Amino acid sequence: MTISLDRETSQPTVTQLGGRIGARIDGVRLGPDLGEETVAAIRAALLQHKVIFFRGQNHLDDDGQIAFAEQLGTLTTAHPTVNTGSARVLSLAANKGMAANSWHTDVTFVDRVPAISVLRGVAIPAYGGTTNWANTVTAYESLPEPLKALVDGLWAVHTNDYDYAASAEEGDAVNYDKDNVFRRQEFTRIAFKTEHPVVRVHPETGERSLVLGHFVKNFVGLNTAESHALFQLLQNRVTKLENTIRWTWTEGDVAVWDNRATQHYAVADFDTQYREVRRITVAGDVPVSIDGRHSRVIEGDAGAFSSLDELIS
């Protein structure tokens, strides 16, 4: 697959990196005014491969990253609850552990789940700090028919008020210190709770994908033990290694993923080195189930994060 640029002499190319997910795009200098043809081709690659990577974008600053992301759609604010000092840019910085070191789809605790995330590597440790992505479309497609029959009509409650320590794998609890307590307090300062279909229909491709990840509290109609068992069963399908890709960052890398069709996991294996990435988020719509029902808000108003009116206009 080749992307042609009408204002560049080079011929950017898309190189597939995995059988189910991931591609690298070379020859594109990200920023404003890429041109309709180039943006359309980038979007097509994103919808096909679910996450795409650009190396060598060291020229980008926050404004340039925003200008690129705006060509993919209307932007959200930086985050529904977390403030890192910018209206649009969420800075994710750490020198030990990360609250995001578990599988998740961004911000599923609100009704208007973000469509696309644009993440830029600002400070990358000498080792560790990789990020993994999983394809939630192929995870659904590979389910045996009895499991599809179960999940097609199933709904789940997602919330931002969950126990980070309990969700960490054994051995990671050491990272749950006073800094992480503060992060949790900020993350949960506004309570959000939303019912989403476990299987949503992608608004652009029509594909069916699993809506899961660590913001799931329980499945509607199931008790805690049943919810936990079923969640692990389905999550194991999503994160099967053949369904994932792992990216080793260098400074200036940009990753763009379809948040409606993926989960991701930032690996906290960089000891006490400093790591910083910055995220811009493109607004998405309210998920729709196979039978045409929309996600339902139980608690919280996400209007300040993303306006559904702007998406319609």
Side-chain angles (χ1 to χ4, degrees), residues 181-264:
V181 170
F182 173 77
R183 293 174 192 169
R184 173 176 167 80
Q185 288 174 343
E186 183 179 22
F187 194 84
T188 60
R189 65 184 178 85
I190 303 173
F192 290 97
K193 189 179 294 183
T194 304
E195 281 187 9
H196 290 300
V198 173
V199 182
R200 71 171 295 182
V201 178
H202 195 289
E204 293 187 67
T205 67
E207 296 171 316
R208 297 178 179 183
S209 65
L210 294 173
V211 185
L212 295 167
H214 70 196
F215 295 119
V216 170
K217 181 179 182 180
N218 63 276
F219 294 109
V220 177
L222 302 184
N223 64 32
T224 300
E226 293 165 342
S227 292
H228 179 76
L230 181 57
F231 177 82
Q232 291 302 322
L233 174 66
L234 296 174
Q235 271 292 124
N236 287 343
R237 291 279 183 163
V238 172
T239 61
K240 186 178 179 181
L241 289 180
E242 290 83 354
N243 197 49
T244 67
I245 189 167
R246 184 166 185 157
W247 184 252
T248 300
W249 291 88
T250 60
E251 290 186 10
D253 286 356
V254 172
V256 183
W257 66 91
D258 187 341
N259 197 58
R260 302 157 297 185
T262 58
Q263 289 184 28
H264 57 282

Coordinates of all heavy atoms in Angstrom, one line a residue, residues 181-264:
V181 N -1.8 7.0 44.8 CA -3.0 7.4 45.5 C -3.5 8.8 45.1 O -4.7 9.0 44.8 CB -2.8 7.4 47.1 CG1 -4.0 8.0 47.8 CG2 -2.5 6.0 47.5
F182 N -2.6 9.7 44.9 CA -3.0 11.0 44.4 C -3.5 10.9 43.0 O -4.5 11.6 42.7 CB -1.7 12.0 44.4 CG -2.0 13.3 43.8 CD1 -2.7 14.3 44.5 CD2 -1.5 13.6 42.5 CE1 -2.9 15.5 43.9 CE2 -1.8 14.8 41.9 CZ -2.5 15.8 42.6
R183 N -2.9 10.2 42.1 CA -3.4 10.0 40.8 C -4.8 9.5 40.8 O -5.7 9.9 40.0 CB -2.5 9.1 40.0 CG -1.1 9.6 39.7 CD -0.3 8.6 39.0 NE 1.1 8.9 39.0 CZ 2.1 8.1 38.7 NH1 1.8 6.8 38.3 NH2 3.4 8.5 38.7
R184 N -5.0 8.5 41.7 CA -6.4 7.9 41.7 C -7.4 8.9 42.2 O -8.5 9.0 41.7 CB -6.4 6.7 42.7 CG -7.8 6.1 42.9 CD -7.7 4.9 43.8 NE -9.1 4.5 44.3 CZ -10.0 3.9 43.6 NH1 -9.7 3.6 42.3 NH2 -11.2 3.7 44.1
Q185 N -7.0 9.7 43.2 CA -8.0 10.7 43.7 C -8.3 11.7 42.6 O -9.5 12.1 42.5 CB -7.3 11.5 44.9 CG -7.3 10.6 46.2 CD -6.5 11.3 47.3 OE1 -5.8 12.2 47.1 NE2 -6.7 10.8 48.5
E186 N -7.3 12.1 41.8 CA -7.6 13.1 40.7 C -8.5 12.4 39.6 O -9.4 13.0 39.1 CB -6.3 13.6 40.1 CG -6.6 14.7 39.0 CD -5.3 15.2 38.4 OE1 -4.3 14.6 38.6 OE2 -5.4 16.3 37.9
F187 N -8.1 11.1 39.3 CA -8.8 10.4 38.3 C -10.3 10.2 38.6 O -11.1 10.2 37.7 CB -8.1 9.1 38.1 CG -8.5 8.3 36.8 CD1 -7.9 8.6 35.6 CD2 -9.5 7.4 36.8 CE1 -8.2 8.0 34.4 CE2 -9.8 6.7 35.7 CZ -9.2 7.0 34.5
T188 N -10.6 10.1 39.9 CA -12.0 9.8 40.3 C -12.7 11.0 40.9 O -13.7 10.8 41.5 CB -12.0 8.6 41.3 OG1 -11.2 9.0 42.4 CG2 -11.4 7.3 40.7
R189 N -12.1 12.2 40.7 CA -12.7 13.3 41.4 C -14.1 13.6 40.8 O -14.9 14.2 41.5 CB -11.8 14.6 41.2 CG -11.6 15.1 39.8 CD -10.6 16.2 39.7 NE -10.4 16.6 38.3 CZ -11.2 17.5 37.7 NH1 -12.3 18.0 38.3 NH2 -11.0 17.8 36.4
I190 N -14.4 13.2 39.6 CA -15.7 13.3 39.0 C -16.1 11.8 38.7 O -15.4 11.2 38.0 CB -15.8 14.1 37.8 CG1 -15.3 15.6 38.0 CG2 -17.3 14.1 37.2 CD1 -15.2 16.4 36.8
A191 N -17.2 11.4 39.3 CA -17.6 10.0 39.1 C -18.3 9.8 37.7 O -19.2 10.6 37.4 CB -18.5 9.5 40.2
F192 N -17.9 8.8 37.0 CA -18.6 8.4 35.7 C -18.9 7.0 35.7 O -18.1 6.1 36.2 CB -17.7 8.7 34.5 CG -17.5 10.2 34.2 CD1 -16.3 10.8 34.7 CD2 -18.4 10.9 33.5 CE1 -16.1 12.2 34.4 CE2 -18.2 12.2 33.2 CZ -17.1 12.9 33.7
K193 N -20.1 6.7 35.2 CA -20.5 5.3 35.1 C -21.4 5.2 33.9 O -22.4 5.9 33.8 CB -21.2 4.8 36.4 CG -21.5 3.3 36.5 CD -22.2 2.9 37.8 CE -21.3 3.2 39.0 NZ -21.9 2.7 40.2
T194 N -21.1 4.2 33.0 CA -21.9 4.1 31.8 C -22.1 2.6 31.4 O -21.2 1.8 31.6 CB -21.1 4.7 30.6 OG1 -20.8 6.1 30.9 CG2 -21.9 4.7 29.3
E195 N -23.2 2.3 30.9 CA -23.5 0.9 30.4 C -23.2 0.9 28.9 O -23.8 1.7 28.1 CB -24.9 0.5 30.6 CG -25.2 0.0 32.0 CD -26.7 -0.5 32.1 OE1 -27.3 -0.7 31.1 OE2 -27.1 -0.7 33.3
H196 N -22.3 0.0 28.5 CA -22.0 -0.1 27.1 C -22.3 -1.5 26.6 O -22.2 -2.5 27.4 CB -20.4 0.1 26.8 CG -20.0 1.5 27.0 ND1 -20.4 2.5 26.2 CD2 -19.0 2.0 27.8 CE1 -19.8 3.6 26.5 NE2 -18.9 3.3 27.5
P197 N -22.7 -1.7 25.3 CA -22.8 -3.1 24.8 C -21.4 -3.7 24.8 O -20.4 -3.0 24.5 CB -23.3 -2.8 23.4 CG -22.8 -1.5 23.0 CD -22.9 -0.7 24.3
V198 N -21.3 -5.0 25.1 CA -20.0 -5.7 25.0 C -19.5 -5.8 23.6 O -18.3 -5.8 23.3 CB -20.1 -7.0 25.7 CG1 -18.8 -7.9 25.5 CG2 -20.4 -6.9 27.2
V199 N -20.5 -5.8 22.6 CA -20.2 -5.8 21.2 C -20.8 -4.6 20.6 O -22.0 -4.4 20.6 CB -20.7 -7.1 20.5 CG1 -20.3 -7.1 19.0 CG2 -20.2 -8.3 21.2
R200 N -19.9 -3.7 20.0 CA -20.4 -2.5 19.4 C -20.1 -2.6 17.9 O -19.3 -3.4 17.4 CB -19.7 -1.2 19.9 CG -18.2 -1.1 19.5 CD -17.6 0.3 19.9 NE -18.3 1.3 19.1 CZ -17.9 2.6 19.3 NH1 -16.9 3.0 20.1 NH2 -18.5 3.6 18.6
V201 N -20.9 -1.8 17.1 CA -20.7 -1.8 15.7 C -19.9 -0.5 15.3 O -20.3 0.6 15.7 CB -22.1 -1.7 14.9 CG1 -21.9 -1.6 13.4 CG2 -22.9 -3.0 15.3
H202 N -18.8 -0.7 14.6 CA -17.9 0.4 14.3 C -18.6 1.4 13.4 O -19.2 0.9 12.3 CB -16.6 -0.1 13.7 CG -15.5 0.9 13.6 ND1 -15.6 2.0 12.8 CD2 -14.4 0.9 14.3 CE1 -14.4 2.6 12.9 NE2 -13.7 2.0 13.9
P203 N -18.7 2.7 13.7 CA -19.5 3.6 12.9 C -18.9 3.8 11.5 O -19.7 4.3 10.6 CB -19.4 4.9 13.7 CG -18.1 4.8 14.5 CD -18.0 3.3 14.9
E204 N -17.6 3.5 11.2 CA -17.1 3.8 9.9 C -16.9 2.5 9.1 O -17.2 2.5 7.9 CB -15.7 4.4 10.0 CG -15.8 5.8 10.6 CD -14.4 6.5 10.5 OE1 -13.9 6.8 9.4 OE2 -13.9 6.8 11.6
T205 N -16.5 1.4 9.7 CA -16.3 0.2 9.0 C -17.4 -0.8 9.0 O -17.5 -1.8 8.2 CB -15.0 -0.5 9.5 OG1 -15.3 -1.0 10.9 CG2 -13.8 0.4 9.5
G206 N -18.3 -0.7 10.0 CA -19.4 -1.6 10.2 C -18.9 -2.9 10.9 O -19.7 -3.8 11.2
E207 N -17.6 -3.0 11.3 CA -17.1 -4.2 12.0 C -17.7 -4.2 13.4 O -18.0 -3.2 14.0 CB -15.6 -4.1 12.0 CG -14.9 -4.2 10.6 CD -13.4 -3.9 10.7 OE1 -13.0 -3.0 11.4 OE2 -12.7 -4.6 10.0
R208 N -17.7 -5.4 13.9 CA -18.1 -5.6 15.3 C -16.8 -5.8 16.2 O -15.9 -6.5 15.8 CB -19.0 -6.9 15.5 CG -20.3 -6.7 14.7 CD -21.1 -8.0 14.8 NE -22.4 -7.8 14.1 CZ -23.4 -8.8 14.1 NH1 -23.2 -9.9 14.8 NH2 -24.5 -8.5 13.4
S209 N -16.8 -5.1 17.3 CA -15.6 -5.2 18.2 C -16.1 -5.4 19.7 O -17.2 -5.0 20.0 CB -14.8 -3.9 18.1 OG -15.5 -2.8 18.5
L210 N -15.2 -5.9 20.5 CA -15.5 -6.1 21.9 C -15.1 -4.8 22.7 O -14.0 -4.3 22.5 CB -14.6 -7.3 22.4 CG -15.0 -8.7 21.9 CD1 -14.0 -9.7 22.4 CD2 -16.4 -9.1 22.3
V211 N -16.0 -4.4 23.5 CA -15.8 -3.2 24.4 C -15.6 -3.7 25.8 O -16.5 -4.0 26.5 CB -17.0 -2.2 24.3 CG1 -16.7 -1.0 25.1 CG2 -17.4 -1.9 22.9
L212 N -14.3 -3.8 26.1 CA -13.9 -4.4 27.5 C -12.8 -3.5 28.1 O -13.0 -2.3 28.0 CB -13.5 -5.8 27.3 CG -14.6 -6.8 26.9 CD1 -14.0 -8.1 26.4 CD2 -15.6 -7.0 28.0
G213 N -11.8 -4.1 28.7 CA -10.7 -3.3 29.3 C -11.0 -3.1 30.8 O -12.0 -3.4 31.4
H214 N -10.0 -2.5 31.4 CA -10.0 -2.4 32.9 C -11.0 -1.5 33.5 O -11.1 -1.4 34.8 CB -8.6 -2.1 33.4 CG -8.1 -0.8 33.2 ND1 -6.7 -0.4 33.3 CD2 -8.7 0.4 32.9 CE1 -6.5 0.8 33.1 NE2 -7.7 1.4 32.8
F215 N -11.8 -0.7 32.7 CA -12.8 0.1 33.3 C -14.1 -0.7 33.5 O -15.1 -0.1 34.1 CB -13.1 1.3 32.4 CG -11.9 2.3 32.4 CD1 -11.3 2.6 31.1 CD2 -11.4 2.9 33.5 CE1 -10.2 3.4 31.1 CE2 -10.3 3.8 33.4 CZ -9.7 4.0 32.2
V216 N -14.2 -1.9 33.1 CA -15.4 -2.7 33.3 C -15.5 -3.1 34.8 O -14.6 -3.6 35.4 CB -15.3 -4.0 32.4 CG1 -16.5 -4.9 32.8 CG2 -15.4 -3.7 31.0
K217 N -16.7 -2.8 35.3 CA -16.9 -3.1 36.7 C -17.7 -4.5 36.8 O -17.4 -5.3 37.7 CB -17.7 -2.0 37.4 CG -18.1 -2.3 38.9 CD -18.8 -1.1 39.5 CE -19.1 -1.4 40.9 NZ -19.9 -0.3 41.6
N218 N -18.7 -4.6 36.0 CA -19.4 -5.9 36.0 C -20.3 -6.0 34.7 O -20.4 -5.0 34.0 CB -20.4 -6.0 37.2 CG -21.4 -4.9 37.2 OD1 -21.2 -3.7 37.6 ND2 -22.6 -5.2 36.7
F219 N -20.8 -7.1 34.5 CA -21.7 -7.3 33.3 C -23.1 -7.3 33.9 O -23.4 -7.8 35.0 CB -21.5 -8.7 32.7 CG -20.2 -8.8 32.0 CD1 -19.2 -9.6 32.5 CD2 -19.9 -8.1 30.8 CE1 -17.9 -9.7 31.9 CE2 -18.7 -8.1 30.2 CZ -17.7 -9.0 30.7
V220 N -24.0 -6.6 33.1 CA -25.4 -6.4 33.6 C -26.1 -7.7 33.7 O -26.1 -8.6 32.7 CB -26.1 -5.5 32.6 CG1 -27.6 -5.3 33.0 CG2 -25.5 -4.1 32.5
G221 N -26.7 -8.0 34.8 CA -27.4 -9.3 35.0 C -26.6 -10.4 35.6 O -27.1 -11.4 36.0
L222 N -25.2 -10.2 35.8 CA -24.4 -11.2 36.3 C -23.8 -10.7 37.7 O -23.6 -9.5 37.9 CB -23.2 -11.5 35.4 CG -23.6 -12.0 34.0 CD1 -22.3 -12.4 33.2 CD2 -24.5 -13.2 34.0
N223 N -23.6 -11.6 38.6 CA -23.0 -11.2 39.9 C -21.5 -11.0 39.7 O -20.9 -11.2 38.7 CB -23.4 -12.2 41.0 CG -22.8 -13.6 40.7 OD1 -21.7 -13.8 40.1 ND2 -23.5 -14.7 41.2
T224 N -20.9 -10.7 40.8 CA -19.4 -10.3 40.8 C -18.6 -11.5 40.3 O -17.7 -11.3 39.5 CB -19.0 -9.8 42.2 OG1 -19.7 -8.7 42.6 CG2 -17.5 -9.5 42.2
A225 N -18.8 -12.7 40.9 CA -18.0 -13.8 40.6 C -18.2 -14.2 39.1 O -17.2 -14.5 38.4 CB -18.4 -15.0 41.5
E226 N -19.4 -14.2 38.6 CA -19.7 -14.5 37.2 C -19.1 -13.5 36.3 O -18.5 -13.8 35.3 CB -21.2 -14.6 37.0 CG -21.9 -15.8 37.7 CD -23.4 -15.6 37.8 OE1 -23.9 -14.5 37.7 OE2 -24.1 -16.6 38.1
S227 N -19.2 -12.2 36.7 CA -18.6 -11.1 35.9 C -17.1 -11.3 35.7 O -16.5 -11.1 34.7 CB -19.0 -9.8 36.5 OG -20.4 -9.5 36.3
H228 N -16.5 -11.6 36.9 CA -15.0 -11.7 36.9 C -14.6 -12.9 36.0 O -13.7 -12.7 35.2 CB -14.5 -11.9 38.3 CG -13.0 -12.1 38.4 ND1 -12.1 -11.0 38.3 CD2 -12.3 -13.2 38.5 CE1 -10.9 -11.5 38.4 NE2 -11.0 -12.8 38.5
A229 N -15.3 -14.0 36.1 CA -14.9 -15.2 35.3 C -15.1 -14.9 33.8 O -14.2 -15.2 33.0 CB -15.7 -16.4 35.7
L230 N -16.2 -14.3 33.4 CA -16.5 -14.1 32.0 C -15.5 -13.0 31.5 O -15.0 -13.1 30.4 CB -17.9 -13.6 31.8 CG -18.3 -13.3 30.4 CD1 -18.1 -14.5 29.5 CD2 -19.8 -12.9 30.3
F231 N -15.2 -12.0 32.3 CA -14.3 -10.9 31.9 C -12.9 -11.5 31.6 O -12.4 -11.2 30.5 CB -14.2 -9.9 33.0 CG -13.2 -8.8 32.7 CD1 -13.6 -7.7 31.9 CD2 -11.9 -8.8 33.2 CE1 -12.7 -6.7 31.6 CE2 -11.0 -7.8 32.9 CZ -11.4 -6.7 32.1
Q232 N -12.4 -12.3 32.4 CA -11.1 -12.9 32.2 C -11.1 -13.8 30.9 O -10.2 -13.8 30.1 CB -10.7 -13.8 33.4 CG -10.4 -12.9 34.6 CD -9.3 -11.9 34.4 OE1 -8.3 -12.2 33.7 NE2 -9.4 -10.7 34.9
L233 N -12.2 -14.5 30.7 CA -12.3 -15.4 29.5 C -12.2 -14.5 28.3 O -11.5 -14.8 27.3 CB -13.6 -16.1 29.6 CG -14.0 -17.0 28.3 CD1 -13.0 -18.1 28.1 CD2 -15.4 -17.5 28.4
L234 N -13.0 -13.4 28.2 CA -13.0 -12.6 27.0 C -11.7 -11.8 26.9 O -11.2 -11.6 25.8 CB -14.2 -11.6 27.1 CG -15.6 -12.3 27.1 CD1 -16.7 -11.3 27.3 CD2 -15.8 -13.1 25.8
Q235 N -11.2 -11.2 28.0 CA -10.0 -10.5 27.9 C -8.8 -11.3 27.4 O -8.0 -10.9 26.6 CB -9.6 -9.9 29.3 CG -10.2 -8.5 29.5 CD -9.6 -7.4 28.7 OE1 -10.4 -6.8 27.9 NE2 -8.3 -7.3 28.7
N236 N -8.8 -12.6 27.8 CA -7.8 -13.5 27.3 C -7.8 -13.7 25.8 O -6.8 -13.8 25.1 CB -7.9 -14.8 28.0 CG -7.4 -14.8 29.5 OD1 -6.7 -13.9 29.9 ND2 -7.8 -15.8 30.2
R237 N -9.0 -13.6 25.3 CA -9.2 -13.7 23.8 C -8.6 -12.4 23.1 O -8.0 -12.4 22.1 CB -10.7 -13.8 23.5 CG -11.3 -15.2 23.8 CD -10.9 -16.2 22.8 NE -11.5 -17.5 23.1 CZ -11.6 -18.5 22.2 NH1 -11.2 -18.3 20.9 NH2 -12.2 -19.6 22.5
V238 N -8.9 -11.2 23.8 CA -8.4 -10.0 23.2 C -6.9 -9.9 23.2 O -6.3 -9.5 22.2 CB -9.0 -8.8 24.0 CG1 -8.4 -7.5 23.6 CG2 -10.5 -8.7 23.9
T239 N -6.3 -10.3 24.3 CA -4.9 -10.1 24.5 C -4.0 -11.3 24.1 O -2.8 -11.3 24.4 CB -4.6 -9.7 26.0 OG1 -5.0 -10.8 26.8 CG2 -5.3 -8.4 26.3
K240 N -4.6 -12.3 23.5 CA -3.8 -13.4 22.9 C -2.7 -12.8 22.1 O -2.9 -11.9 21.3 CB -4.7 -14.3 22.1 CG -4.0 -15.5 21.6 CD -5.0 -16.4 20.8 CE -4.3 -17.7 20.3 NZ -5.2 -18.5 19.5
L241 N -1.5 -13.3 22.2 CA -0.3 -12.6 21.6 C -0.4 -12.5 20.1 O 0.0 -11.5 19.5 CB 1.0 -13.4 21.9 CG 1.5 -13.4 23.4 CD1 2.7 -14.2 23.5 CD2 1.7 -11.9 23.8
E242 N -1.1 -13.4 19.4 CA -1.2 -13.3 18.0 C -2.2 -12.2 17.6 O -2.2 -11.8 16.4 CB -1.8 -14.6 17.5 CG -0.9 -15.8 17.5 CD -0.8 -16.5 18.8 OE1 -1.4 -16.0 19.8 OE2 -0.1 -17.6 18.9
N243 N -2.9 -11.7 18.6 CA -3.8 -10.6 18.3 C -3.3 -9.2 18.7 O -4.0 -8.2 18.7 CB -5.1 -10.8 19.1 CG -6.3 -10.0 18.6 OD1 -6.6 -10.0 17.4 ND2 -7.0 -9.4 19.6
T244 N -2.0 -9.1 19.0 CA -1.4 -7.9 19.5 C -0.1 -7.5 18.8 O 0.4 -8.3 18.0 CB -0.9 -8.1 21.0 OG1 0.1 -9.1 21.1 CG2 -2.1 -8.6 21.9
I245 N 0.3 -6.3 19.0 CA 1.6 -5.8 18.5 C 2.3 -5.0 19.7 O 1.6 -4.3 20.4 CB 1.4 -4.9 17.3 CG1 2.8 -4.6 16.7 CG2 0.6 -3.7 17.5 CD1 2.7 -4.1 15.3
R246 N 3.6 -5.0 19.7 CA 4.4 -4.3 20.8 C 5.3 -3.3 20.1 O 6.0 -3.7 19.2 CB 5.1 -5.3 21.6 CG 5.9 -4.7 22.8 CD 6.4 -5.8 23.7 NE 7.0 -5.3 24.9 CZ 7.1 -5.9 26.1 NH1 6.5 -7.2 26.2 NH2 7.6 -5.4 27.1
W247 N 5.2 -2.1 20.5 CA 6.0 -1.0 19.9 C 7.1 -0.6 20.9 O 6.8 -0.2 22.0 CB 5.1 0.2 19.6 CG 5.8 1.3 18.8 CD1 6.2 2.5 19.3 CD2 6.3 1.2 17.5 NE1 6.8 3.3 18.4 CE2 6.9 2.5 17.2 CE3 6.2 0.3 16.4 CZ2 7.4 2.8 16.0 CZ3 6.8 0.6 15.2 CH2 7.4 1.9 15.0
T248 N 8.3 -0.5 20.4 CA 9.5 0.0 21.1 C 9.7 1.4 20.7 O 10.0 1.7 19.5 CB 10.7 -0.9 20.9 OG1 10.5 -2.2 21.3 CG2 11.9 -0.3 21.6
W249 N 9.5 2.4 21.6 CA 9.5 3.8 21.3 C 10.9 4.3 21.1 O 11.9 3.9 21.8 CB 8.9 4.6 22.5 CG 7.4 4.4 22.6 CD1 6.8 3.4 23.4 CD2 6.4 5.2 22.0 NE1 5.4 3.6 23.3 CE2 5.1 4.6 22.4 CE3 6.4 6.3 21.2 CZ2 3.9 5.2 22.0 CZ3 5.2 6.8 20.8 CH2 3.9 6.2 21.2
T250 N 11.0 5.3 20.3 CA 12.2 6.2 20.2 C 11.6 7.6 20.3 O 10.4 7.9 19.9 CB 13.0 6.1 19.0 OG1 12.2 6.3 17.8 CG2 13.6 4.7 18.9
E251 N 12.4 8.6 20.7 CA 11.9 10.0 20.8 C 11.5 10.5 19.4 O 12.2 10.3 18.5 CB 12.9 10.9 21.4 CG 13.1 10.6 22.9 CD 14.1 11.6 23.6 OE1 14.4 12.6 22.9 OE2 14.5 11.4 24.7
G252 N 10.3 11.1 19.4 CA 9.8 11.6 18.1 C 8.8 10.6 17.4 O 8.3 11.0 16.4
D253 N 8.7 9.4 17.9 CA 7.7 8.5 17.4 C 6.3 9.0 17.6 O 6.0 9.7 18.7 CB 7.8 7.1 18.0 CG 9.0 6.4 17.5 OD1 9.7 6.9 16.6 OD2 9.2 5.3 18.0
V254 N 5.4 8.8 16.7 CA 3.9 9.1 16.9 C 3.1 7.8 16.6 O 3.3 7.1 15.6 CB 3.5 10.2 16.0 CG1 1.9 10.4 16.1 CG2 4.2 11.5 16.4
A255 N 2.3 7.4 17.6 CA 1.4 6.3 17.4 C 0.0 6.8 17.3 O -0.4 7.7 18.1 CB 1.5 5.3 18.5
V256 N -0.8 6.3 16.3 CA -2.2 6.7 16.2 C -3.0 5.4 16.2 O -2.7 4.5 15.4 CB -2.4 7.5 14.8 CG1 -3.8 7.9 14.7 CG2 -1.4 8.7 14.7
W257 N -4.0 5.4 17.1 CA -4.8 4.1 17.1 C -6.3 4.4 17.1 O -6.8 5.5 17.5 CB -4.5 3.3 18.3 CG -4.8 3.8 19.6 CD1 -5.9 3.6 20.4 CD2 -3.9 4.5 20.5 NE1 -5.8 4.2 21.6 CE2 -4.5 4.8 21.7 CE3 -2.6 5.0 20.3 CZ2 -4.0 5.5 22.8 CZ3 -2.0 5.8 21.4 CH2 -2.7 6.0 22.6
D258 N -7.0 3.5 16.5 CA -8.5 3.5 16.5 C -9.0 3.0 17.9 O -9.0 1.8 18.1 CB -9.0 2.7 15.4 CG -10.5 2.8 15.2 OD1 -11.2 3.2 16.1 OD2 -11.0 2.4 14.1
N259 N -9.4 3.9 18.7 CA -9.8 3.6 20.1 C -11.1 2.8 20.1 O -11.4 2.1 21.1 CB -10.0 4.8 20.9 CG -10.0 4.6 22.4 OD1 -9.1 4.1 23.0 ND2 -11.1 5.0 23.0
R260 N -11.8 2.7 19.0 CA -13.1 2.0 18.9 C -12.8 0.5 18.5 O -13.8 -0.3 18.5 CB -14.0 2.6 17.8 CG -14.3 4.1 18.1 CD -14.7 4.8 16.8 NE -13.6 4.9 15.9 CZ -13.6 5.5 14.7 NH1 -14.7 6.2 14.4 NH2 -12.6 5.5 13.9
A261 N -11.6 0.2 18.2 CA -11.3 -1.2 17.7 C -10.0 -1.8 18.4 O -9.5 -2.7 17.9 CB -11.1 -1.1 16.2
T262 N -9.6 -1.2 19.5 CA -8.3 -1.6 20.1 C -8.4 -1.5 21.6 O -9.2 -0.8 22.2 CB -7.1 -0.8 19.7 OG1 -7.3 0.6 20.0 CG2 -6.8 -1.0 18.2
Q263 N -7.5 -2.2 22.3 CA -7.1 -2.0 23.6 C -5.6 -1.8 23.6 O -4.9 -2.1 22.7 CB -7.4 -3.1 24.6 CG -8.9 -3.3 24.9 CD -9.1 -4.5 25.9 OE1 -8.3 -4.8 26.7 NE2 -10.3 -5.1 25.8
H264 N -5.0 -1.1 24.7 CA -3.6 -1.0 24.8 C -3.1 -1.1 26.2 O -3.9 -1.0 27.1 CB -3.1 0.3 24.1 CG -3.7 1.5 24.7 ND1 -5.0 2.0 24.4 CD2 -3.2 2.4 25.6 CE1 -5.3 3.1 25.1 NE2 -4.2 3.4 25.8

